[in-house]
Amino acid sequence: MKNIIYSILFFLITCSLSAQNAGTAQTIPMDPNIRIGKLDNGLTYYICHSENPKNRGEFYIVHNVGAMQEEDDQNGLAHFLEHMAFNGTKHFPKKSMLEYLASIGVRFGTNVNAFTSRNVTAYNISEVPLARESIIDTVLLMLHDWSSYITCDSAEIEAERGVIREEWRTRDIPRMRLSEQLYPVMYNHSKYAERNVIGDINIIMNFKRQTLLDFYHKWYRPDLQAVIVVGDFDVDQMENKIKQTMSSLPKAQNPVQKEEYTVPDNQKPLVGISTDPDAGAMVVRLMYKLNVPDRAEKQKVSAYKINLERNIISELLKKRLMEKATQGNPYIRQRAANYSDITPNKKMLFMMGAVKNNKVNEALNELAIEVERIKKYGFTPEEFDEIRSNMLKSVKLQIIQAKNQKSTDIVKSCLDHFTTGTPIAPNDFYEQMAISTLQNLTVDELNRTALDIFSDENILITILGPRKDNIVYPQDEELIATVQNAGKQEITPYVHRVLKATRLMAQKPQAGTIREEKKNDIVGTVEWTLSNGAKVIVKSYPSKKDIIDIKAYSKGGTSILPDNELANGAMANNFCRLMGVKDFSRSDLKQINAGKIVSISPEIGEYYETLSGYAASRDLETLMQMIYLYITAPNFDKQEFNRQLEKIKSTLTNRQGLPKTEYDREIRAIKYNNHPRKASMTLEKANTITFEGAKQIYEERFANAGDFTFIFTGNIDLANFKPLVETYLASLPTTGVKQNYKDNQIRYAKGKIIKHIEKDLTTDKASISVLYTAKLPYSAENKVLSAAFRYILRDRYMKSIREEKGGAYSVSVNATEEALPTNTITIEVNFDTAPTMADEMLEIVQKEVDDIAKNGPSPFELENAQRYFNKLYKTGISSNSYWTETLTDYYQYGIDNFTNYEKMMNALTPSDIRKFAKTVFGQKNKMEFVLLPKK
């Protein structure tokens, strides 16, 4: 019957799509749930109702311009203008916009932000509580001002120069430096190579206000703008409000035509070699540039088909590369393939790999041979049928997920539609289009597309690696010859590997029983004690998202290991994330579970071993089977183990002597009183790791399922879930012993420790880390106090360090309450600044801490924090992640973060925060670490 229904469905689908040239010429319709309109002034708007999350709204204004529209004397000003939008507009002078948003629980940097790229600039006000109509009106007025009424006040410009200088400084890292060296090759000497968004620091520090205004008034205009509003509101009412607010924006008079830039083609391969003193691994990449259908063509099914074929080829190539890594002794340690954007009108399909022993030509040859194998023999019918089958399953999966997409996902679709013309198809049409295209696609068509991709033109070869005296990189012509000569070698056809079995379990284990059942009215859970001693906690609550989360834990972790087994313990944990079960590798599991939403990962932490994952309701039994197998039949594959160990050793070797590596090792030793169990991994320790040792540790840590507590959260049908628990959890082996973790007397260093360390840095940058520690009871009350304090302190630093002094782009403030090995709180402040400003910034760090401990925050500061966390709480209680974290705290440590949360948060007073700060900082444990360039 299923086959008959499917055949009828497929016939209807293919008929509906075959009217015009087998469907490929058909225009993709727009999702009717998204309302699109255009005002007389040229502004486009997108509106969509979404209740994920409920009572919240997403408000965006998108400018279809970016760094590519800058003149040479404006290099970096598109991004600078983005910053100025938060420093004063017509209706919101100075910081009054951010102050208002904070007063409704919308936080700058978290819910209020923006981004600038080469082609797009977008501003967002997110997770807005739609409690009052006045809030919607005010937020829309902010979008209105961002369109045409940013004041660009002279004093604010001067203050912001320092902020962007420090943002530029944070980007001066090896990864960015390596990438920027390759821009002339990646973008073939076009204007794209001249615009990196952050811009020219000399221009940033010296431009005239009028130069910024020239860019603003030329390019920020309604005909290049879109307002996107998605959330839990009435669409008709929202449309009226947008029309009322945005129609007054002035229409551009004599607008300058926006030039569309492109990356020129290249007939001969282009080569780029980028090196950096602080680089770790050496990476080789072989890339093929591809044209993208234009805006009009994108509206056709044919464009979808082209994109689909390229993605399939990328996935098949990736699979082949991964398989190659398991054969013989390759010159590439890690490898990947991907299909991604270069610019809006160019994409690339690329392969990359980490080079072993600096054998660049040999590594490049391995990549090139795989391309030649495809060109010569094509893809096999077997591998094509396998991936097509998996993708058909994935289509169904995507449709199910689309029904539960978040408001932010809808915003992204609207943004892409406005800026690149990417269609937003209705779910039913997308399903029909995807199934029809996949069903009608042939391996011969795919192979023809592969030949088009892997032509002799538009090839890029890039090498990224360390700059060292003992490393000599090949010449450009040598690398080109390696690629061009690959086809002259003897190449054998690809042999498709077929899984011998495709079922996780051939038969179910002998079921156990639920020995005892209790209800917990405090947190609304059902508690089961199983026949093997394991505990199962179920939090079932109504949820539109059809996902069930699982978190399981057992005491012990690496804390019980002797010192000389810690390296094996670290390797066992590292391998947890990579291994499969039974005879299946991790990639085999991906293939077996194609079309399913299911994931589970074991981990061995310091004090607990855990299993974490999730599954769609219909895939819950698969999740339970995987839990059972990761405990009873993990796949500790020796070959894969040795490859990962080689990777670790290579990374350690590459990073030896790097200033940042040495600095991190030094401060870690100081932080933990030189405790041997907290020492960094070294090559010497890695050489003690053995397959047998790591395997034994994993098996021992997961041998006693009776010592585990399993927490499940989501919309769970208890009647259907019970048999699964009895079959797959109650049947797990147990030793009958309840194990505890071991306190190895690891403690933070006490007192005042100041360590300013100078290294031979490539960057003129000071990296600051200030760590305060204190004994503090692990309680729900202290967690609420800690959260509010962290919010207030971070906002203080944003004002004093970022805005007033221009001393940092951002300041990270983290507060962590630790239950183990003792009740401790750590408050850590991290940021980068100019070396000449380091001492002044450190004084401000301490000054703000001292002021709160002495005087407390203002009522306004505390109220902002309370509104923000109350908003998070109301959103969080309808999410699995909230309940998983809350219930883990409850059952591990007896902490109830749920019952009286709002009451505790709302009851806080400035005096409470002052006392909290005095308690924490009064213990006078402070570690101040600064990494500085050697003078």
Side-chain angles (χ1 to χ4, degrees):
M1 181 61 69
K2 282 184 180 178
N3 290 336
I4 294 171
I5 293 172
Y6 184 82
S7 298
I8 295 171
L9 173 64
F10 178 63
F11 175 78
L12 293 172
I13 288 169
T14 52
C15 285
S16 68
L17 286 173
S18 61
Q20 301 179 41
N21 191 24
T24 56
Q26 187 173 355
T27 299
I28 299 173
M30 185 69 183
D31 187 340
N33 294 315
I34 298 172
R35 184 172 298 180
I36 305 176
K38 182 170 281 194
L39 303 180
D40 291 340
N41 57 17
L43 183 135
T44 304
Y45 61 82
Y46 296 76
I47 311 171
C48 185
H49 176 81
S50 168
E51 296 181 14
N52 190 9
K54 287 186 69 64
N55 305 316
R56 298 286 182 267
E58 298 287 321
F59 295 78
Y60 279 65
I61 184 165
V62 182
H63 308 262
N64 206 2
V65 292
M68 294 302 292
Q69 279 64 55
E70 297 165 343
E71 304 294 337
D72 288 345
D73 65 343
Q74 298 171 332
N75 190 357
L77 297 197
H79 173 250
F80 200 107
L81 180 59
E82 173 216 306
H83 278 240
M84 294 310 300
F86 300 102
N87 288 284
T89 66
K90 178 180 178 180
H91 295 96
F92 304 93
K94 304 294 182 181
K95 298 293 189 296
S96 60
M97 177 187 292
L98 300 181
E99 289 167 0
Y100 171 81
L101 291 170
S103 74
I104 60 171
V106 178
R107 192 180 194 192
F108 179 55
T110 305
N111 309 133
V112 187
N113 220 320
F115 73 82
T116 304
S117 69
R118 288 181 172 89
N119 297 286
V120 180
T121 307
Y123 301 84
N124 68 287
I125 306 174
S126 297
E127 295 187 22
V128 176
L130 305 178
R132 301 184 301 277
E133 191 171 350
S134 61
I135 291 176
I136 297 173
D137 294 337
T138 304
V139 172
L140 286 175
L141 186 60
M142 292 174 182
L143 302 189
H144 165 277
D145 277 14
W146 279 338
S147 167
S148 305
Y149 298 103
I150 302 172
T151 52
C152 295
D153 178 77
S154 296
E156 295 293 341
I157 289 174
E158 294 308 312
E160 203 65 24
R161 290 188 203 269
V163 173
I164 295 183
R165 178 196 61 218
E166 295 312 312
E167 182 177 1
W168 171 83
R169 200 185 306 276
T170 63
R171 296 189 184 193
D172 194 5
I173 56 177
R175 179 173 57 82
M176 295 299 294
R177 294 195 295 267
L178 288 166
S179 294
E180 290 192 7
Q181 288 177 51
L182 294 176
Y183 284 168
V185 171
M186 296 294 296
Y187 300 111
N188 199 5
H189 305 282
S190 66
K191 189 175 180 180
Y192 276 100
E194 301 168 5
R195 296 291 181 264
N196 67 352
V197 180
I198 193 68
D200 184 329
I201 194 62
N202 292 316
I203 291 176
I204 296 301
M205 299 308 295
N206 297 292
F207 72 86
K208 303 295 184 185
R209 176 175 181 264
Q210 187 58 48
T211 309
L212 181 64
L213 291 175
D214 288 344
F215 178 86
Y216 181 37
H217 294 145
K218 183 178 182 179
W219 296 114
Y220 272 44
R221 58 190 208 227
D223 60 300
L224 294 174
Q225 295 169 340
V227 165
I228 303 171
V229 185
V230 180
D232 191 5
F233 48 71
D234 181 271
V235 170
D236 291 335
Q237 292 178 6
M238 185 60 70
E239 183 175 34
N240 288 333
K241 285 183 177 293
I242 288 173
K243 287 179 178 179
Q244 291 168 11
T245 307
M246 304 298 172
S247 292
S248 63
L249 292 171
K251 184 176 182 178
Q253 300 299 317
N254 302 314
V256 177
Q257 182 70 30
K258 179 187 168 186
E259 185 175 349
E260 297 295 334
Y261 297 94
T262 188
V263 175
D265 292 336
N266 56 285
Q267 291 184 332
K268 180 183 175 181
L270 298 178
V271 178
I273 299 176
S274 63
T275 63
D276 192 272
D278 298 332
M282 185 182 293
V283 174
V284 58
R285 300 188 301 194
L286 178 58
M287 297 171 274
Y288 294 81
K289 286 188 303 189
L290 303 167
N291 289 320
V292 174
D294 64 26
R295 215 177 167 93
E297 290 172 332
K298 281 181 182 176
Q299 310 311 309
K300 306 293 184 182
V301 173
S302 55
Y304 170 82
K305 183 173 184 286
I306 290 170
N307 200 54
L308 180 67
E309 289 176 1
R310 291 174 176 179
N311 273 300
I312 291 174
I313 290 167
S314 172
E315 288 301 310
L316 289 173
L317 178 57
K318 184 189 301 182
K319 189 170 183 291
R320 287 190 178 191
L321 289 173
M322 297 300 289
E323 288 178 6
K324 192 72 177 177
T326 67
Q327 301 166 8
N329 187 24
Y331 289 99
I332 298 179
R333 191 177 64 251
Q334 296 168 269
R335 48 190 78 205
N338 206 351
Y339 173 58
S340 60
D341 295 326
I342 304 179
T343 70
N345 48 30
K346 283 277 195 240
K347 282 182 176 280
M348 66 177 173
L349 195 152
F350 71 90
M351 295 146 280
M352 61 182 292
V355 180
K356 288 170 62 174
N357 304 321
N358 301 332
K359 299 289 187 179
V360 177
N361 270 316
E362 291 83 350
L364 179 60
N365 182 59
E366 287 188 9
L367 297 179
I369 281 179
E370 291 310 311
V371 171
E372 293 299 327
R373 197 187 314 277
I374 294 169
K375 290 167 70 173
K376 187 172 183 179
Y377 299 108
F379 294 105
T380 68
E382 293 81 12
E383 64 182 325
F384 171 71
D385 288 342
E386 182 182 279
I387 196 167
R388 182 171 60 174
S389 174
N390 290 342
M391 293 187 82
L392 282 166
K393 295 175 185 176
S394 296
V395 169
K396 299 289 187 182
L397 185 59
Q398 290 172 31
I399 296 302
I400 292 168
Q401 290 176 317
K403 294 175 182 176
N404 297 310
Q405 65 182 333
K406 295 181 179 179
S407 295
T408 49
D409 298 324
I410 300 172
V411 167
K412 186 180 183 307
S413 296
C414 296
L415 192 154
D416 289 343
H417 181 269
F418 176 67
T419 56
T420 68
T422 304
I424 313 173
N427 286 341
D428 56 350
F429 185 89
Y430 169 76
E431 183 176 11
Q432 294 171 6
M433 176 175 64
I435 292 174
S436 175
T437 305
L438 284 166
Q439 290 282 9
N440 288 303
L441 184 64
T442 68
V443 70
D444 290 336
E445 282 183 290
L446 195 72
N447 287 332
R448 285 195 293 273
T449 301
L451 287 175
D452 289 339
I453 291 172
F454 299 122
S455 72
D456 295 331
E457 297 182 356
N458 285 320
I459 297 174
L460 307 178
I461 304 164
T462 63
I463 314 295
L464 304 85
R467 187 182 306 153
K468 295 181 180 179
D469 293 338
N470 64 336
I471 298 178
V472 179
Y473 291 87
Q475 295 296 311
D476 292 3
E477 292 302 325
E478 190 179 350
L479 293 166
I480 292 172
T482 296
V483 172
Q484 292 178 338
N485 293 332
K488 299 174 184 178
Q489 301 172 60
E490 184 179 347
I491 300 174
T492 58
Y494 171 77
V495 179
H496 178 60
R497 174 176 169 265
V498 179
L499 292 179
K500 293 179 181 178
T502 56
R503 294 177 61 189
L504 284 174
M505 301 180 71
Q507 60 183 29
K508 296 180 180 181
Q510 182 65 45
T513 60
I514 295 174
R515 196 172 63 203
E516 183 182 7
E517 176 174 320
K518 292 181 182 178
K519 286 188 177 180
N520 187 316
D521 294 330
I522 297 174
V523 287
T525 57
V526 174
E527 304 171 356
W528 292 329
T529 302
L530 308 185
S531 52
N532 59 2
K535 302 284 186 183
V536 175
I537 313 299
V538 184
K539 173 67 179 181
S540 181
Y541 66 100
S543 173
K544 286 189 175 181
K545 191 173 182 182
D546 185 34
I547 296 292
I548 294 166
D549 283 19
I550 185 264
K551 172 74 176 288
Y553 62 86
S554 170
K555 291 180 181 178
T558 60
S559 72
I560 65 166
L561 300 177
D563 291 0
N564 63 355
E565 285 296 327
L566 286 176
N568 275 325
M571 184 61 191
N573 181 50
N574 179 281
F575 198 69
C576 280
R577 303 176 183 91
L578 303 166
M579 67 184 182
V581 295
K582 294 171 61 179
D583 296 325
F584 302 124
S585 67
R586 196 79 169 186
S587 60
D588 291 340
L589 291 178
K590 185 178 179 182
Q591 181 178 328
I592 291 168
N593 292 329
K596 295 182 180 180
I597 301 177
V598 61
S599 175
I600 190 74
S601 293
E603 183 177 352
I604 303 172
E606 189 169 7
Y607 298 106
Y608 289 91
E609 43 274 349
T610 62
L611 287 154
S612 303
Y614 58 86
S617 297
R618 69 186 185 285
D619 301 321
L620 189 53
E621 183 163 12
T622 301
L623 176 70
M624 302 296 276
Q625 290 178 345
M626 290 178 69
I627 293 170
Y628 181 89
L629 292 172
Y630 268 114
I631 291 176
T632 62
N635 182 6
F636 240 86
D637 179 76
K638 193 165 188 175
Q639 269 192 315
E640 182 61 33
F641 180 91
N642 289 334
R643 280 193 294 273
Q644 294 306 318
L645 182 56
E646 180 190 23
K647 172 186 167 185
I648 290 170
K649 289 180 180 180
S650 178
T651 301
L652 291 169
T653 300
N654 290 334
R655 296 196 175 280
Q656 274 185 334
L658 293 181
K660 187 66 166 62
T661 301
E662 292 178 353
Y663 170 75
D664 290 342
R665 187 168 291 152
E666 287 178 50
I667 68 171
R668 185 175 176 85
I670 295 168
K671 193 183 293 186
Y672 294 106
N673 289 309
N674 290 297
H675 199 292
R677 299 183 72 89
K678 283 293 185 178
S680 302
M681 177 66 76
T682 63
L683 191 58
E684 182 182 13
K685 290 179 184 176
N687 285 329
T688 68
I689 294 172
T690 66
F691 174 78
E692 293 76 15
K695 182 172 184 285
Q696 182 178 345
I697 287 169
Y698 179 91
E699 290 174 343
E700 287 178 351
R701 296 321 315 137
F702 289 93
N704 184 15
D707 205 21
F708 270 83
T709 298
F710 297 85
I711 298 174
F712 291 88
T713 57
N715 194 353
I716 303 169
D717 185 313
L718 292 180
N720 293 330
F721 188 46
K722 269 187 178 182
L724 297 178
V725 168
E726 292 172 327
T727 300
Y728 298 108
L729 300 187
S731 62
L732 287 167
T734 179
T735 63
V737 177
K738 293 291 182 183
Q739 194 163 35
N740 209 337
Y741 59 84
K742 181 181 178 182
D743 184 355
N744 291 293
Q745 298 302 309
I746 299 170
R747 302 291 187 269
Y748 291 107
K750 290 187 176 181
K752 187 174 182 180
I753 298 170
I754 297 178
K755 193 74 174 177
H756 293 193
I757 301 171
E758 294 185 355
K759 298 285 183 185
D760 289 320
L761 302 179
T762 307
T763 307
D764 186 36
K765 176 169 63 179
S767 296
I768 290 175
S769 178
V770 182
L771 178 67
Y772 301 92
T773 66
K775 291 182 178 179
L776 190 75
Y778 190 77
S779 67
E781 293 80 5
N782 280 332
K783 293 188 88 169
V784 167
L785 282 161
S786 171
F789 173 81
R790 180 179 73 246
Y791 181 104
I792 293 164
L793 186 62
R794 186 257 192 181
D795 273 14
R796 288 270 185 112
Y797 290 146
M798 286 291 287
K799 291 183 176 71
S800 57
I801 291 178
R802 174 181 159 125
E803 294 168 11
E804 294 173 9
K805 295 293 183 180
Y809 170 58
S810 65
V811 181
S812 168
V813 179
N814 292 308
T816 306
E817 309 81 29
E818 300 177 4
L820 300 175
T822 60
N823 287 188
T824 305
I825 186 170
T826 64
I827 296 174
E828 190 165 8
V829 181
N830 294 290
F831 60 95
D832 292 336
T833 190
T836 55
M837 300 182 74
D839 289 340
E840 182 184 5
M841 296 303 102
L842 286 165
E843 287 179 7
I844 294 174
V845 169
Q846 190 59 46
K847 177 187 172 185
E848 297 291 7
V849 164
D850 291 341
D851 182 71
I852 297 175
K854 181 180 179 180
N855 303 310
S858 69
F860 179 74
E861 287 178 304
L862 178 56
E863 287 165 8
N864 286 346
Q866 289 169 319
R867 290 190 185 98
Y868 176 74
F869 286 112
N870 281 334
K871 185 189 77 170
L872 286 187
Y873 168 79
K874 287 171 183 172
T875 304
I877 56 175
S878 60
S879 71
N880 290 356
S881 57
Y882 168 85
W883 282 112
T884 298
E885 182 180 346
T886 299
L887 295 175
T888 300
D889 244 6
Y890 184 84
Y891 286 98
Q892 272 187 338
Y893 307 117
I895 304 301
D896 180 4
N897 298 314
F898 165 69
T899 308
N900 296 308
Y901 181 85
E902 283 185 291
K903 184 178 179 181
M904 286 188 292
M905 181 61 75
N906 292 332
L908 291 180
T909 66
S911 178
D912 293 329
I913 302 297
R914 179 183 61 79
K915 290 175 184 176
F916 172 83
K918 192 172 182 179
T919 298
V920 172
F921 300 110
Q923 297 181 38
K924 300 188 182 303
N925 297 321
K926 174 185 177 182
M927 289 178 261
E928 177 182 297
F929 302 113
V930 184
L931 175 61
L932 293 158
K934 190 172 286 185
K935 296 175 182 176

